[in-house]
């Protein structure tokens, strides 16, 4: 689930910093791994020069993630003290430039010195460099290279294990091949220590450095493994595709230089572009699904942020849409490469995406989904599926016709607690459900929350209140665990605790085909509120509190049997209370999106099919209709009747909300619980 950040040794495009910046800008590179600056090695740069350089890079929109220093690239028998003194200045330069890392080496053994004899000296020197840097807020990262102590995976692992978090690890596949090592094996050994990766490939037969993916470095396979990790991972392009000024000073001998002829380019800019293009192509194969996010309000912005943090697998956000410019501007600050559009239709028509996540006001979910299906796009809809089942049914029909992947953001189905409760209920071990009760009143919201959006808490804009906004997950889980009821009776208090026109306090009574009953109570006006799900079955009662803790009361015989056969009027059934353990895993939204991408890429199963969104909405619609008409509602509901009654509510509502203060909540994690 990695987010790949692109860096490069841009001195291979030009020695001049302005040209390096232009080369990065032109080739989708956001960071420079600084090595040569206007003809000077990074180790020769002064603090004053670094300050001017930092400003120049910032003006060009390019960051510095690492300094490609030559430290540790001397003979193990050479004097170290002078080397270390220069290093101190480079640490200061790194701080000025905002570089997190300094690339170092583990000293050459070109004169036949014994690795065993000089191991302690290697570790002493690395330790001095690493500790000094870390004391100053910079991490030294060891790169593998032919001829140094850390040339092969085994010795690199030895170094990594010895220093732990005092030292980072740069993984260079080409350098391992040149030492006769297989890169997948090297990756397996070093995976947990890798800080970032150099993108350089080599043909093992000729020894020639080639564009990434054209050699034997198995870079695509390595990136597939990295993609399964979570977080941001830097890929630093080190082309070496053509001899450029100063190359002979960067390598221990001319071996690489002599073997580059088959991959020469007319100029340095072209060779640099070829190297960058190669890695972008591989990343597109590793993360093949291009996703556009329609809506950059609370949830849409959160999805984009999660992508930028590296929480998704096999997918890239390539576009976002929102009519509010400040929101698309915020998206560009998170990722300057994302394309922005004024509305969902523009994004759908753009050709920039393979799939969309719809995170707009509720009425638009089916509308935009249908447009996306017509354009041959895959769809993931935020909850709820829509406002009324008639539109959702049409959406489901269009999804089926399209043959495209259709998912819904029911992330609470990934919650270990609810997965366990469902497993217990569906197992049949405890008999049929007799009664279910869910009180979910810990949704406390202030008036400021309802004033945060013009569409929020209106019949015309949102189509409902606590049932449509806060409770779609709970309603989905209720039917997912217990099945669909056959009859609903409800009281939905509108504006009971807030100055709003939709419901903020609800009590639902449900009946099931087998005679079981259920209640569902929710509100945004209680504080602190409660979250308790209780399911009474023939042989057990399951209680889930706060969406986290489960306990079960086990009966030694079924209620139905004991009730019918006991000769004692006040007899009790023997029982035993137990706490129920789960695996504790709750991947949430990131698993929903990652499985959506996997379903598109290779047919993997979804967390929740989009067509399932109609079930919880049916309960919600039935509750509204029951409250409006003050009568029982049989399921399935009369969809035309619901539509008609909804139009009456819209007509009676306010045309425009007052006291609107448009905001996007920064942290949405508090809204994810069920």
């Amino acid at each position: 689930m990695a987010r790949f950040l692109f860096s490069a040794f841009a001195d291979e495009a030009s020695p001049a910093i302005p040209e390096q910046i232009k080369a990065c800008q032109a080739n989708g590179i956001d960071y420079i791994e600084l090595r040569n600056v206007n003809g000077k090695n990074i180790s020769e740069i002064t603090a004053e020069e670094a300050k001017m350089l930092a400003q120049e890079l910032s003006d060009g929109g390019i960051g510095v993630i690492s300094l490609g220093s030559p430290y540790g690239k001397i003979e193990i028998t050479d004097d170290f003290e002078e080397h270390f003194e220069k290093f101190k200045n480079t640490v200061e330069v790194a701080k000025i430039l905002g570089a997190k890392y300094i690339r170092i080496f583990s000293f050459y053994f070109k004169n036949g010195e014994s690795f065993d004899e000089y191991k302690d000296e290697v570790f002493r020197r690395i330790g001095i460099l690493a500790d000094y840097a870390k004391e100053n807020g910079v991490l030294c990262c060891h790169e593998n290279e032919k001829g140094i102590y850390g040339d092969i995976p085994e010795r690199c692992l030895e170094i990594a294990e010895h220093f732990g978090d005092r030292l980072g690890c740069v993984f260079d596949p080409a350098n391992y091949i040149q030492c006769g090592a297989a890169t997948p094996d090297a990756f397996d050994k070093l995976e947990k220590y890798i800080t970032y990766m150099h993108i350089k490939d080599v043909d093992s037969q000729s020894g020639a450095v080639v564009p990434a993916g054209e050699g034997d470095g198995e870079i695509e396979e390595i990136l597939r493994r990295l993609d399964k990790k979570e977080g941001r991972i830097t890929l630093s392009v080190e082309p070496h595709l053509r001899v450029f000024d100063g190359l002979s000073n960067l390598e221990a001998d001319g071996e690489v230089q002599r073997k580059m002829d088959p991959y020469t380019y007319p100029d340095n800019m072209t060779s640099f572009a070829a190297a960058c293009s190669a890695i972008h192509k591989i990343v597109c194969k590793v993360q093949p699904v291009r996703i556009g996010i329609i809506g950059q309000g609370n949830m849409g912005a959160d999805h984009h942020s999660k992508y930028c943090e590296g929480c998704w697998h096999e997918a890239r956000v390539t576009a976002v849409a929102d009519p509010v410019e400040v929101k698309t501007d915020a998206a560009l600050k998170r990722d300057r490469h994302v394309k922005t559009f004024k509305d969902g239709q523009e994004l759908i028509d753009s050709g920039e995406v393979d799939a969309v996540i719809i995170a707009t006001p509720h009425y638009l979910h089916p509308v935009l989904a249908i447009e996306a299906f017509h354009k041959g796009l895959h769809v993931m809809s935020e909850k709820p599926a829509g406002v009324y089942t008639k539109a959702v049914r049409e959406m489901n029909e269009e999804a089926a016709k399209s043959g495209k992947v259709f998912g819904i953001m029911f992330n609470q189905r990934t919650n270990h607690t609810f997965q366990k409760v469902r497993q217990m209920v569906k197992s049949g071990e405890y008999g049929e459900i007799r009664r279910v009760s869910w009180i979910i009143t810990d949704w406390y919201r202030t008036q400021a929350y309802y004033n945060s959006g013009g569409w929020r808490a209106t019949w015309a804009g949102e189509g409902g209140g606590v049932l449509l906004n806060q409770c779609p997950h709970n309603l989905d889980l209720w039917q997912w665990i217990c099945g669909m009821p056959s009859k609903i009776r409800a009281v939905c208090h509108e504006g009971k605790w807030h100055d709003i026109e939709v419901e903020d306090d609800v009590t639902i009574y449900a009946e099931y085909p087998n005679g079981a009953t259920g209640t569902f109570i929710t509100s945004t006006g209680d504080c602190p509120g409660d979250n308790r799900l209780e399911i009474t079955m023939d042989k057990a009662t399951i209680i889930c509190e706060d969406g986290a803790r489960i306990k079960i009361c086990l009966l030694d015989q079924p209620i139905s049997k004991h009730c019918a056969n006991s000769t004692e009027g006040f007899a009790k059934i023997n029982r035993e209370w137990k706490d129920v353990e789960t695996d504790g895993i709750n991947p949430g939204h990131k698993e929903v999106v990652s499985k959506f991408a996997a379903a598109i890429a290779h047919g993997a199963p979804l967390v929740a099919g989009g067509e399932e969104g109609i079930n919880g909405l049916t309960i919600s619609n039935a509750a509204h209709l029951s409250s409006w008409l003050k009568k029982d509602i049989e399921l399935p509901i009369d969809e035309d009747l619901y539509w008609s009654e909804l139009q009456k509510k819209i007509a009676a509502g306010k045309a425009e909300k007052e006291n609107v203060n448009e905001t996007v909540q920064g942290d949405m994690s508090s809204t994810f619980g069920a």
Side-chain angles (χ1 to χ4, degrees), residues 143-190:
E143 179 186 349
N144 57 292
E145 179 164 304
K146 186 177 181 180
I148 63 174
Y149 184 87
D151 56 352
I152 59 175
E154 290 74 18
R155 279 196 289 271
C156 287
L157 179 61
E158 187 179 42
I159 291 169
E161 289 178 336
H162 177 84
F163 287 99
D165 63 5
R166 294 162 60 196
L167 184 71
C169 172
V170 181
F171 188 90
D172 190 313
N175 289 351
Y176 278 126
I177 292 172
Q178 289 169 345
C179 295
T183 53
D185 177 63
F187 181 85
D188 287 343
K189 286 184 170 66
L190 292 157

Side-chain angles (χ1 to χ4, degrees), residues 102-373:
I102 296 178
R103 181 272 307 266
I104 67 170
F105 299 89
S106 52
F107 305 94
Y108 281 120
F109 283 67
K110 289 295 185 181
N111 296 326
E113 299 91 352
S114 164
F115 286 114
D116 290 337
E117 181 182 350
Y118 281 94
K119 173 183 173 180
D120 290 345
E121 178 61 12
V122 168
F123 281 36
R124 184 186 77 84
R125 291 183 176 194
I126 292 176
I128 291 171
L129 297 174
D131 291 344
Y132 181 84
K134 191 160 189 181
E135 287 167 6
N136 285 275
V138 181
L139 182 68
C140 282
C141 297
H142 173 260
E143 179 186 349
N144 57 292
E145 179 164 304
K146 186 177 181 180
I148 63 174
Y149 184 87
D151 56 352
I152 59 175
E154 290 74 18
R155 279 196 289 271
C156 287
L157 179 61
E158 187 179 42
I159 291 169
E161 289 178 336
H162 177 84
F163 287 99
D165 63 5
R166 294 162 60 196
L167 184 71
C169 172
V170 181
F171 188 90
D172 190 313
N175 289 351
Y176 278 126
I177 292 172
Q178 289 169 345
C179 295
T183 53
D185 177 63
F187 181 85
D188 287 343
K189 286 184 170 66
L190 292 157
E191 179 178 2
K192 71 177 182 179
Y193 298 104
I194 295 171
T195 308
Y196 70 99
M197 185 171 171
H198 277 175
I199 301 301
K200 186 164 85 253
D201 209 346
V202 69
D203 176 61
S204 58
Q205 291 287 333
S206 65
V209 177
V210 296
E214 296 187 27
D216 297 303
E218 300 197 50
I219 291 175
E220 182 179 331
E221 172 58 26
I222 290 170
L223 294 194
R224 289 191 186 281
R225 298 186 192 184
L226 284 173
D227 184 51
K228 291 179 171 59
K229 290 176 155 308
E230 187 170 323
R232 302 181 181 191
I233 297 174
T234 300
L235 307 178
S236 192
V237 180
E238 188 176 16
H240 280 19
L241 295 180
R242 183 180 187 275
V243 177
F244 62 99
D245 291 340
L247 176 61
S248 58
N249 296 324
L250 302 179
E251 304 296 338
D253 54 40
E255 181 180 355
V256 172
Q257 195 169 346
R258 290 194 301 272
K259 294 176 178 177
M260 294 174 69
D261 290 342
Y263 290 93
T264 58
Y265 293 83
D267 53 60
N268 293 330
M269 283 290 190
T270 306
S271 67
F272 182 79
C276 295
S277 176
I279 188 56
H280 284 309
K281 287 177 181 177
I282 291 176
V283 169
C284 288
K285 292 172 70 176
V286 170
Q287 298 176 330
V289 182
R290 301 175 303 158
I291 291 180
I293 303 174
I294 303 176
Q296 283 295 291
N298 288 336
M299 285 312 310
D302 187 76
H303 290 316
H304 191 216
S305 295
K306 289 291 187 294
Y307 160 72
C308 291
E309 292 162 9
C311 296
W312 293 3
H313 176 51
E314 297 184 284
R316 294 167 287 132
V317 173
T318 54
V320 300
D322 199 286
V324 181
E325 189 174 357
V326 68
K327 295 180 181 179
T328 51
D329 287 346
L332 285 169
K333 288 180 180 178
R334 290 189 289 270
D335 178 5
R336 69 184 181 92
H337 299 293
V338 74
K339 300 287 180 63
T340 61
F341 297 92
K342 292 180 181 179
D343 59 47
Q345 190 65 58
E346 276 193 1
L347 186 151
I348 289 167
D349 292 338
S350 70
E352 296 289 340
V353 301
D354 307 304
V356 293
I357 293 176
I358 300 172
T360 61
H362 306 151
Y363 281 102
L364 289 174
H365 292 182
V367 174
L368 290 167
I370 290 170
E371 288 298 321
F373 290 133

Side-chain angles (χ1 to χ4, degrees), residues 235 269 336 394 402 417 485 487 491 545 555 645 658 672:
L235 307 178
M269 283 290 190
R336 69 184 181 92
E394 181 184 353
S402 74
T417 304
K487 183 187 293 186
V491 177
E545 295 180 299
L555 306 179
E645 293 299 319
E658 300 174 0
F672 300 160

Side-chain angles (χ1 to χ4, degrees), residues 33 39 73 82 96 117 151 153 191 338 372-373 377 388 425 469 532 589-590 623 634 639 645 648-649:
E33 183 155 5
K73 223 170 190 183
E82 181 181 353
I96 294 168
E117 181 182 350
D151 56 352
E191 179 178 2
V338 74
F373 290 133
L377 302 180
Y388 52 98
V425 170
N469 198 325
R532 176 186 169 95
H589 293 91
K590 62 187 179 184
E634 302 279 348
E639 293 179 341
E645 293 299 319
K648 294 177 185 178
K649 301 299 290 187

Side-chain angles (χ1 to χ4, degrees), residues 636-647:
I637 67 169
D638 183 332
E639 293 179 341
D640 290 326
L641 176 61
Y642 182 82
W643 166 252
S644 174
E645 293 299 319
L646 177 61
Q647 298 315 297

